[in-house]
Amino acid sequence: MKFVIQRDQLMDSVQNVMKAISSRTTIPILTGLKIEARHDGIKLTGSDSDISIESFIPKEEDGIVYVEQIEPGSIVLQAKYFPDIVRKLPQKTVEIEADDQLKVTIRSGGSEFHLNGQDADEYPQLPELHTEDSFELPTDLLKNLIKQTVFAVSTVETRPILTGVNMKLEDNHLNFIATDSHRLASRRIPLEKQTQHLNFSSVVIPGKSLNELNKILEDKQDSVEISVTENQILFRTKHINFLSRLLDGNYPETSRLIPEQSKTIVYGTTKELLQSIDRASLLAKESRNNVVRLQTKEKDQIEISSNSPEVGNVVEELSAKSIEGEDLKISFSAKYMMDALKAIDNEQVKIEFTGAMRPFIIRPIDNDQILQLILPVRTY
Amino acid sequence: MSKWYPKKGRVIFHVDMNSFYASVEAAYDPKLKGKPIAVAGNPEERRGIIVTSSYEARAKGVKTTMPLWEARRLCPELIVMRPNFERYRAASKEMFKILSEITPNVQPVSIDEGYMDITECQDLGSPLEIAANIQNRIANELDLPCSIGIAPNKFLAKMASDMKKPMGITVLRKRDLPKKLWPLKVEEMYGVGSKTAEKLNGINVHTIEDLVSTDVYQLKRLLGINGERLKNRAIGIDPSPVDPDAVYDFKSIGSSETLPNDTVEETEIKRLFRNLARNVARRLKRKQAVGRSVQIMIRFHDRRTITRSVKLPNYLEDEDEIFAVSNDLFEQNWNGDPIRLLGITIQDVAEKKEIAHQLDLFTYEQEASKEGLYKAIDKLNEKYGKSTFIKLNSNQEDNQPRTSFQKDFLDDYKK
């Protein structure tokens, strides 16, 4: 195997596949990065058996040549050293060559590294997914779906299914839902094309996979093709295949847990509310709970306050656009509230409360595609 | 009276009950008086060790922590009893009640000893009179002996109470130190354990006097900051206050137990974990506390001991939760070697009233059903003040502490 490649292109690809490589894996060869030289370009693969990422660098694209002097072949290199070597090489181009003895030579300018490689035949084959069961989404929309929900997944394994985001297909709408049982984030979008042909209706994608995917995807209009099988999901862009295992088990039915009626509705400016809670949480952060209190006042005023006995307290009033319904006093996690407000993606926000011990709902004022729900805290 | 009190400085008592458990037993059954008695945990099993013994038994060489068989060999007529923590706790509570009638500045240290700061008690008489009064009341009302040390600080008071037992009252003033304190062996000093004593002996410090004459830098090099503290104490300096609330400073609550036999049986291990979780949950409940970190301890047959802990996103207090987390930790960390002892400790403990309870999407309905009640309580609290309502602890009986090492009961005398 041999090829000469643009260092920057190689570096980007290496960084992408590194997202899947973990030094703590039960299959030793997965600590390595697979390089495959083909006549049409170079394919890199990284995997931790939960997530697998393939990144392809074409020989040439739009008239720009990225790879030259390709002699096909493949090799697995230690992921611990390879990325740093590539990053620090002196020249714009890199020559990589592997011999029959699995010795790899990396040359750039006057620098020459010799690394021991591993046999690529020992690297597990990634499953080929049927692509019939697939649909497409614009990349930036997919990134939004992820960003607006994935933060709410559970970080503990007590209920493993909650560490994932539930992707649901119903009535030609795609729904992303995440909850750690203390808050819930959901985003719903209409699908343009008919989706009758799709076989899945509800799958659960590990939150970690979506976080990594979001980092790799570039914010652009190009589309991502999404294919789902029984236990895996593939996200495919022009040069990247991102394959993730799905979580086993049934995602809890959350829709019935979302209150349909409300007793108090607060309309406000997202940014003002966010900043106010951010300030109140400055003191709350010190205490163990990070809890702030919201109280409705006369004349459409809201009071945000926080009290940490050892530190001090803060009270702040802000004007709501309007307040409808009963008076309310409620305490909640400042962090959850800030996460939710950041995901709202609208200047104006509508918050619907049903009482101090019941979940409340935060939505953009004029659409119900985004729904953030938070369970309050009860102070003992 | 004020001539008995220093113009600057404090008057501190250390009240130390004499062979407390054995004395309580003798007070319950006067026939036991004058006989060698010992209280031992689980007399039948191998972990049966002497917890405490009467002075008659001590005269024959019976010592605390001695295995039972050895004690029986030294003193064949030894009367061995299982501990009745219920009784000890009741006696302890009465004892602290008597102390707290003198001054609110009482710091319980364990079930049978505590400090008092009587600097402000000039109206009640001289320190000696107050001490005699306390000793008499405890003897008359509870039929229990105690020794009292009187000194300008806690350390000296503690050393003083140790000097005459049983039923002693010892005054230790700074000017008495060269005669009364310094000739003692360094390991008799409170705060010097066997390890520290060994180190000190290594640099030729054998008596407290040797310690006093040793350079403070040398001590610091040997023992760190504790070296300096020990030397200060030896020359009569101990600024630590009598803190009635010290007992409330709890950062962790734990429970551990030795298995009757080293085991690899998972059912047995699970059963023990279940017991430990129940214990810890009970004690959290007593404290009205919750915790966020769970630590387990595994001691193997060869005494090798590991601890593993996990920090949780949420506070827990439930037996089932504690059990589940501990069991998970265990399964992740057990290598299959035979196990001698297991322990569960809840760390990051906070009082419930300090923390908020995060409601859960899947269970909030249960709590929300009480919303009306909470609202009513809130309103009444607003009207009449914070403590209009207290939540009653159900089944008090079940909440009693089970071991001598728990300090939970020390707040009871205030109830």
Side-chain angles (χ1 to χ4, degrees), chain B residues 216-217 219-232:
Chain B
V216 83
Y217 293 104
L219 290 171
K220 262 188 166 172
R221 256 207 319 276
L222 187 70
L223 304 170
I225 187 77
N226 196 34
E228 188 178 8
R229 193 184 303 143
L230 287 176
K231 174 162 176 165
N232 277 335

PDB file of all heavy atoms in Angstrom, chain B residues 216-217 219-232:
ATOM      1  N   VAL B 216      10.124  21.512  67.058  1.00  0.00           N
ATOM      2  CA  VAL B 216       8.835  21.448  66.385  1.00  0.00           C
ATOM      3  C   VAL B 216       9.000  21.124  64.892  1.00  0.00           C
ATOM      4  O   VAL B 216       8.169  20.452  64.289  1.00  0.00           O
ATOM      5  CB  VAL B 216       8.036  22.758  66.601  1.00  0.00           C
ATOM      6  CG1 VAL B 216       8.447  23.817  65.622  1.00  0.00           C
ATOM      7  CG2 VAL B 216       6.551  22.492  66.519  1.00  0.00           C
ATOM      8  N   TYR B 217      10.086  21.552  64.287  1.00  0.00           N
ATOM      9  CA  TYR B 217      10.304  21.264  62.864  1.00  0.00           C
ATOM     10  C   TYR B 217      10.556  19.784  62.631  1.00  0.00           C
ATOM     11  O   TYR B 217      10.095  19.213  61.658  1.00  0.00           O
ATOM     12  CB  TYR B 217      11.442  22.120  62.318  1.00  0.00           C
ATOM     13  CG  TYR B 217      11.079  23.574  62.306  1.00  0.00           C
ATOM     14  CD1 TYR B 217      11.590  24.449  63.254  1.00  0.00           C
ATOM     15  CD2 TYR B 217      10.166  24.053  61.357  1.00  0.00           C
ATOM     16  CE1 TYR B 217      11.216  25.787  63.261  1.00  0.00           C
ATOM     17  CE2 TYR B 217       9.786  25.380  61.359  1.00  0.00           C
ATOM     18  CZ  TYR B 217      10.320  26.251  62.313  1.00  0.00           C
ATOM     19  OH  TYR B 217       9.938  27.550  62.318  1.00  0.00           O
ATOM     20  N   LEU B 219       9.346  17.443  64.458  1.00  0.00           N
ATOM     21  CA  LEU B 219       8.054  16.788  64.618  1.00  0.00           C
ATOM     22  C   LEU B 219       7.201  16.953  63.367  1.00  0.00           C
ATOM     23  O   LEU B 219       6.525  16.036  62.921  1.00  0.00           O
ATOM     24  CB  LEU B 219       7.313  17.359  65.833  1.00  0.00           C
ATOM     25  CG  LEU B 219       7.894  16.998  67.184  1.00  0.00           C
ATOM     26  CD1 LEU B 219       7.207  17.792  68.284  1.00  0.00           C
ATOM     27  CD2 LEU B 219       7.781  15.506  67.455  1.00  0.00           C
ATOM     28  N   LYS B 220       7.262  18.151  62.810  1.00  0.00           N
ATOM     29  CA  LYS B 220       6.483  18.408  61.602  1.00  0.00           C
ATOM     30  C   LYS B 220       6.963  17.531  60.455  1.00  0.00           C
ATOM     31  O   LYS B 220       6.158  17.040  59.666  1.00  0.00           O
ATOM     32  CB  LYS B 220       6.634  19.874  61.191  1.00  0.00           C
ATOM     33  CG  LYS B 220       5.482  20.758  61.655  1.00  0.00           C
ATOM     34  CD  LYS B 220       5.648  22.110  61.028  1.00  0.00           C
ATOM     35  CE  LYS B 220       4.428  22.963  61.116  1.00  0.00           C
ATOM     36  NZ  LYS B 220       4.712  24.331  60.668  1.00  0.00           N
ATOM     37  N   ARG B 221       8.287  17.377  60.373  1.00  0.00           N
ATOM     38  CA  ARG B 221       8.814  16.531  59.312  1.00  0.00           C
ATOM     39  C   ARG B 221       8.329  15.099  59.484  1.00  0.00           C
ATOM     40  O   ARG B 221       8.040  14.397  58.527  1.00  0.00           O
ATOM     41  CB  ARG B 221      10.339  16.571  59.307  1.00  0.00           C
ATOM     42  CG  ARG B 221      10.911  17.425  58.200  1.00  0.00           C
ATOM     43  CD  ARG B 221      12.298  16.990  57.768  1.00  0.00           C
ATOM     44  NE  ARG B 221      13.174  16.609  58.851  1.00  0.00           N
ATOM     45  CZ  ARG B 221      13.897  17.463  59.581  1.00  0.00           C
ATOM     46  NH1 ARG B 221      13.852  18.738  59.346  1.00  0.00           N
ATOM     47  NH2 ARG B 221      14.674  17.017  60.538  1.00  0.00           N
ATOM     48  N   LEU B 222       8.237  14.675  60.747  1.00  0.00           N
ATOM     49  CA  LEU B 222       7.874  13.298  61.031  1.00  0.00           C
ATOM     50  C   LEU B 222       6.369  13.063  60.893  1.00  0.00           C
ATOM     51  O   LEU B 222       5.922  12.069  60.323  1.00  0.00           O
ATOM     52  CB  LEU B 222       8.334  12.944  62.457  1.00  0.00           C
ATOM     53  CG  LEU B 222       8.182  11.493  62.887  1.00  0.00           C
ATOM     54  CD1 LEU B 222       9.175  10.613  62.144  1.00  0.00           C
ATOM     55  CD2 LEU B 222       8.362  11.367  64.394  1.00  0.00           C
ATOM     56  N   LEU B 223       5.600  13.986  61.407  1.00  0.00           N
ATOM     57  CA  LEU B 223       4.157  13.727  61.526  1.00  0.00           C
ATOM     58  C   LEU B 223       3.289  14.748  60.792  1.00  0.00           C
ATOM     59  O   LEU B 223       2.066  14.698  60.891  1.00  0.00           O
ATOM     60  CB  LEU B 223       3.748  13.720  63.010  1.00  0.00           C
ATOM     61  CG  LEU B 223       4.496  12.752  63.920  1.00  0.00           C
ATOM     62  CD1 LEU B 223       4.160  13.032  65.360  1.00  0.00           C
ATOM     63  CD2 LEU B 223       4.148  11.314  63.568  1.00  0.00           C
ATOM     64  N   GLY B 224       3.925  15.660  60.085  1.00  0.00           N
ATOM     65  CA  GLY B 224       3.133  16.694  59.425  1.00  0.00           C
ATOM     66  C   GLY B 224       2.556  17.656  60.447  1.00  0.00           C
ATOM     67  O   GLY B 224       3.091  17.809  61.552  1.00  0.00           O
ATOM     68  N   ILE B 225       1.438  18.246  60.063  1.00  0.00           N
ATOM     69  CA  ILE B 225       0.835  19.274  60.900  1.00  0.00           C
ATOM     70  C   ILE B 225       0.457  18.726  62.274  1.00  0.00           C
ATOM     71  O   ILE B 225       0.492  19.426  63.285  1.00  0.00           O
ATOM     72  CB  ILE B 225      -0.406  19.872  60.181  1.00  0.00           C
ATOM     73  CG1 ILE B 225      -0.980  21.063  60.942  1.00  0.00           C
ATOM     74  CG2 ILE B 225      -1.476  18.839  59.961  1.00  0.00           C
ATOM     75  CD1 ILE B 225      -0.163  22.320  60.762  1.00  0.00           C
ATOM     76  N   ASN B 226       0.152  17.432  62.313  1.00  0.00           N
ATOM     77  CA  ASN B 226      -0.221  16.815  63.578  1.00  0.00           C
ATOM     78  C   ASN B 226       0.922  16.866  64.594  1.00  0.00           C
ATOM     79  O   ASN B 226       0.694  16.936  65.800  1.00  0.00           O
ATOM     80  CB  ASN B 226      -0.662  15.372  63.330  1.00  0.00           C
ATOM     81  CG  ASN B 226      -1.412  14.796  64.507  1.00  0.00           C
ATOM     82  OD1 ASN B 226      -2.139  15.522  65.188  1.00  0.00           O
ATOM     83  ND2 ASN B 226      -1.225  13.522  64.774  1.00  0.00           N
ATOM     84  N   GLY B 227       2.157  16.845  64.101  1.00  0.00           N
ATOM     85  CA  GLY B 227       3.316  16.905  65.007  1.00  0.00           C
ATOM     86  C   GLY B 227       3.292  18.186  65.823  1.00  0.00           C
ATOM     87  O   GLY B 227       3.498  18.179  67.043  1.00  0.00           O
ATOM     88  N   GLU B 228       3.003  19.282  65.136  1.00  0.00           N
ATOM     89  CA  GLU B 228       2.960  20.560  65.824  1.00  0.00           C
ATOM     90  C   GLU B 228       1.800  20.591  66.816  1.00  0.00           C
ATOM     91  O   GLU B 228       1.938  21.071  67.942  1.00  0.00           O
ATOM     92  CB  GLU B 228       2.803  21.681  64.786  1.00  0.00           C
ATOM     93  CG  GLU B 228       2.949  23.059  65.374  1.00  0.00           C
ATOM     94  CD  GLU B 228       2.837  24.142  64.305  1.00  0.00           C
ATOM     95  OE1 GLU B 228       2.493  23.818  63.152  1.00  0.00           O
ATOM     96  OE2 GLU B 228       3.092  25.305  64.644  1.00  0.00           O
ATOM     97  N   ARG B 229       0.669  20.046  66.385  1.00  0.00           N
ATOM     98  CA  ARG B 229      -0.502  20.053  67.253  1.00  0.00           C
ATOM     99  C   ARG B 229      -0.238  19.256  68.531  1.00  0.00           C
ATOM    100  O   ARG B 229      -0.582  19.689  69.630  1.00  0.00           O
ATOM    101  CB  ARG B 229      -1.693  19.456  66.499  1.00  0.00           C
ATOM    102  CG  ARG B 229      -3.017  19.698  67.204  1.00  0.00           C
ATOM    103  CD  ARG B 229      -4.169  19.027  66.499  1.00  0.00           C
ATOM    104  NE  ARG B 229      -4.287  19.439  65.109  1.00  0.00           N
ATOM    105  CZ  ARG B 229      -4.634  18.633  64.120  1.00  0.00           C
ATOM    106  NH1 ARG B 229      -4.889  17.353  64.372  1.00  0.00           N
ATOM    107  NH2 ARG B 229      -4.727  19.082  62.891  1.00  0.00           N
ATOM    108  N   LEU B 230       0.420  18.098  68.373  1.00  0.00           N
ATOM    109  CA  LEU B 230       0.699  17.271  69.547  1.00  0.00           C
ATOM    110  C   LEU B 230       1.606  18.001  70.530  1.00  0.00           C
ATOM    111  O   LEU B 230       1.386  17.988  71.737  1.00  0.00           O
ATOM    112  CB  LEU B 230       1.340  15.956  69.116  1.00  0.00           C
ATOM    113  CG  LEU B 230       0.394  14.957  68.442  1.00  0.00           C
ATOM    114  CD1 LEU B 230       1.162  13.729  67.980  1.00  0.00           C
ATOM    115  CD2 LEU B 230      -0.725  14.546  69.398  1.00  0.00           C
ATOM    116  N   LYS B 231       2.618  18.658  69.984  1.00  0.00           N
ATOM    117  CA  LYS B 231       3.534  19.359  70.871  1.00  0.00           C
ATOM    118  C   LYS B 231       2.803  20.487  71.600  1.00  0.00           C
ATOM    119  O   LYS B 231       2.964  20.668  72.809  1.00  0.00           O
ATOM    120  CB  LYS B 231       4.714  19.922  70.082  1.00  0.00           C
ATOM    121  CG  LYS B 231       5.600  20.784  70.977  1.00  0.00           C
ATOM    122  CD  LYS B 231       6.973  21.026  70.433  1.00  0.00           C
ATOM    123  CE  LYS B 231       7.687  21.976  71.402  1.00  0.00           C
ATOM    124  NZ  LYS B 231       9.115  22.027  71.179  1.00  0.00           N
ATOM    125  N   ASN B 232       1.988  21.218  70.860  1.00  0.00           N
ATOM    126  CA  ASN B 232       1.207  22.291  71.494  1.00  0.00           C
ATOM    127  C   ASN B 232       0.347  21.756  72.625  1.00  0.00           C
ATOM    128  O   ASN B 232       0.277  22.343  73.698  1.00  0.00           O
ATOM    129  CB  ASN B 232       0.317  22.976  70.460  1.00  0.00           C
ATOM    130  CG  ASN B 232       1.081  24.035  69.686  1.00  0.00           C
ATOM    131  OD1 ASN B 232       2.067  24.574  70.205  1.00  0.00           O
ATOM    132  ND2 ASN B 232       0.648  24.305  68.481  1.00  0.00           N
TER     133      ASN B 232
END
